[in-house]
Amino acid sequence: EIQDKNHKITESINYAQRIQTAILPTSKGLQEYFPESFMFYKARDVVSGDFPWLLKKGDNVYVAVVDCTGHGVPGALLSFIGYFTLNNVVEHDEDLNAGQICDKLHYGVRRTLRQDTYDAEAQDGMDIAFCKINLRTNQIDYAGAHRPLYLLREQEIIEYKGDRKSIGGIPFRKKVEKEFTNYQIKIEKNDKIFFF
């Protein structure tokens, strides 16, 4: 009986991995827009709470890496909330900068997990490094929740620190929340950017 239950649970998790893998971008997809780019993704468990994200709309390519609370099945469930909320936010408003997109993601996660109600208990959320890259103007908008972006320019590393707040979580009732900082970076020839 234990072997049978274990087999069913393992089959279910492996099937969930196929679903999660199907929606995640690949290095090949990223290299379509940035030929010299790379992506390293290795889940700790069969399904993961960490995920890369990529979307192209108009002149903009949106790229993010997200680290959700927890790992395994709970983290993977949270990753789906983040993935589809990001898609929804970006698909509906191309004029938002990276900081504004992170703000909308933040409130979308809170709404979905009902963290905006008076009796909320779930502190679940995610950290993110988020870029909006305009291919026409060579400008990057960057925002981060506990995640930095590193720019390597002419042998110098420049760090753009993410804000010290997460996406989601229960708000402090008496404290006004700051919006996510949006950094604008003009890309020059031979610049390299890294985030994780």
Side-chain angles (χ1 to χ4, degrees):
E1 188 177 332
I2 291 171
Q3 282 181 330
D4 183 51
K5 285 184 178 180
N6 189 38
H7 178 71
K8 285 180 180 174
I9 290 168
T10 302
E11 273 190 341
S12 181
I13 291 172
N14 288 336
Y15 188 68
Q17 180 194 34
R18 287 203 304 272
I19 294 169
Q20 188 176 43
T21 302
I23 68 169
L24 297 180
T26 62
S27 286
K28 189 176 179 183
L30 185 65
Q31 289 166 354
E32 187 178 322
Y33 307 110
F34 310 105
E36 295 181 34
S37 65
F38 72 94
M39 176 172 50
F40 178 75
Y41 175 70
K42 184 174 170 126
R44 178 184 146 177
D45 295 312
V46 178
V47 289
S48 179
D50 299 337
F51 67 97
W53 180 85
L54 174 71
L55 189 124
K56 165 92 167 61
K57 187 163 187 200
D59 290 331
N60 298 306
V61 177
Y62 301 84
V63 184
V65 292
V66 187
D67 176 2
C68 297
T69 305
H71 50 85
V73 174
L77 287 172
L78 204 53
S79 78
F80 274 93
I81 292 170
Y83 180 89
F84 289 109
T85 304
L86 268 175
N87 280 349
N88 190 39
V89 168
V90 171
E91 284 288 347
H92 285 90
D93 197 342
E94 205 173 333
D95 294 329
L96 297 175
N97 64 41
Q100 292 166 328
I101 291 167
C102 286
D103 288 328
K104 287 197 173 275
L105 173 64
H106 177 59
Y107 292 113
V109 168
R110 273 198 183 153
R111 217 174 16 259
T112 302
L113 295 175
R114 297 193 175 122
Q115 294 170 329
D116 53 357
T117 61
Y118 184 73
D119 57 347
E121 292 181 13
Q123 277 289 7
D124 303 299
M126 54 198 74
D127 296 339
I128 189 170
F130 186 92
C131 287
K132 175 183 179 180
I133 305 163
N134 188 294
L135 299 174
R136 187 174 42 81
T137 63
N138 286 331
Q139 178 174 298
I140 293 179
D141 281 7
Y142 174 74
H146 291 291
R147 292 279 151 247
L149 176 137
Y150 294 102
L151 170 65
L152 178 59
R153 177 177 286 165
E154 297 177 8
Q155 310 298 317
E156 182 187 356
I157 295 178
I158 303 162
E159 179 182 10
Y160 295 89
K161 291 186 177 186
D163 291 299
R164 292 181 55 120
K165 70 182 235 179
S166 291
I167 301 289
I170 300 170
F172 294 107
R173 301 286 176 215
K174 296 178 181 177
K175 190 175 179 183
V176 177
E177 268 191 283
K178 292 182 180 176
E179 295 177 342
F180 280 96
T181 305
N182 185 71
Y183 295 98
Q184 290 189 326
I185 307 162
K186 186 71 175 172
I187 292 300
E188 299 175 6
K189 190 175 180 177
N190 297 320
D191 281 354
K192 294 177 176 63
I193 61 167
F194 302 89
F195 52 92
F196 44 89

